Amino acid sequence: MSPYSWQRSSYCQEGDACVHIASSPAAVHLTESADPSRAVLTTDPAAFAALLDSIGRRSRG
């Protein structure tokens, strides 16, 4: 059992390719439901916020 409380992305459609996220004040954890190894990417909240900001700027054109 995972020690994290995972939430599925709101952009996830039906199927196996969904991003799941778990967070705490010190870390953000990401995994993909289609990954049988259950690999977890961990980063700090500031780096994750910078990633989301960059993605948001690109999607706005």
Side-chain angles (χ1 to χ4, degrees):
M1 182 168 181
S2 174
Y4 307 118
S5 178
W6 295 104
Q7 293 183 336
R8 189 166 70 171
S9 168
S10 61
Y11 289 97
C12 183
Q13 301 297 318
E14 294 297 321
D16 289 334
C18 297
V19 174
H20 296 257
I21 185 170
S23 65
S24 68
V28 176
H29 312 283
L30 298 147
T31 191
E32 180 185 2
S33 58
D35 179 9
S37 71
R38 300 282 191 231
V40 175
L41 172 69
T42 300
T43 189
D44 65 80
F48 187 66
L51 172 67
L52 294 179
D53 184 54
S54 177
I55 292 169
R57 281 195 309 254
R58 290 175 193 249
S59 68
R60 290 188 294 269

